[in-house]
Amino acid sequence: MREEQYHSTSHCKYLIQYHIIWCPKFRFSILKGNAKDTFKQILKKICDDYNYRIKSLEVMPDHIHIFVDVPQTVAPCDVVRTLKSISAIELFKVFPQLKKFYARSGALWTRGYFISTVGHISEATVIRYIEEQKGHD
């Protein structure tokens, strides 16, 4: 574990990272060309505004992968909600034809998403560390 990767507050040291995937409604391939580039810029701005650090980002025509480092005060569902809601609003502003296309369904993104924690140590390492604490009394 490298120490500089961790964040600190007055009473907390943490590293919280998520791999998040979500799709446009009906899995349509809408994120290509200018829409893809604009969407990436929108995500970068959202992350800057909310103090999320993008570690990796890949925008495919029909889904998004983002790997973010977030503050310890933000729930995983709130990270996803923020990214999806603001990005949809901003994309609709830039591409009114997209808003018109999705007007019937009322939403750009599917309700669902995938989210997984990402750490620098394995589950086995954590279990071993906790078990070894018994002998440190």
Side-chain angles (χ1 to χ4, degrees):
M1 293 187 291
R2 295 190 342 236
E3 194 66 25
E4 70 273 3
Q5 294 174 344
Y6 290 86
H7 306 286
S8 293
T9 61
S10 58
H11 300 284
C12 177
K13 192 169 228 28
Y14 68 93
L15 178 64
I16 301 173
Q17 302 175 115
Y18 299 116
H19 174 208
I20 306 167
I21 305 168
W22 75 92
C23 306
K25 198 90 163 173
F26 313 117
R27 194 98 189 226
F28 287 144
S29 295
I30 60 165
L31 299 170
K32 46 193 173 190
N34 287 343
K36 176 180 178 175
D37 297 335
T38 302
F39 180 65
K40 281 184 171 185
Q41 292 307 313
I42 289 169
L43 282 180
K44 288 175 183 173
K45 170 114 176 55
I46 295 166
C47 288
D48 285 346
D49 292 348
Y50 284 82
N51 200 23
Y52 305 161
R53 189 169 145 253
I54 297 175
K55 302 194 89 170
S56 184
L57 171 63
E58 192 58 53
V59 177
M60 309 303 286
D62 66 346
H63 67 283
I64 300 95
H65 286 266
I66 188 168
F67 176 30
V68 289
D69 183 324
V70 302
Q72 88 284 7
T73 55
V74 185
C77 58
D78 291 338
V79 174
V80 176
R81 186 180 309 118
T82 299
L83 293 173
K84 288 173 70 176
S85 64
I86 296 173
S87 66
I89 291 165
E90 295 302 316
L91 268 177
F92 284 157
K93 283 182 191 173
V94 178
F95 299 100
Q97 68 275 20
L98 204 55
K99 185 174 185 173
K100 189 175 181 181
F101 181 74
Y102 278 101
R104 272 186 179 242
S105 67
L108 175 62
W109 309 121
T110 59
R111 281 187 183 179
Y113 58 90
F114 166 86
I115 189 164
S116 176
T117 55
V118 179
H120 292 283
I121 55 177
S122 70
E123 177 182 346
T125 304
V126 173
I127 291 169
R128 188 172 59 249
Y129 173 79
I130 292 170
E131 288 174 351
E132 288 173 358
Q133 295 307 299
K134 295 174 195 167
H136 290 279
D137 287 337

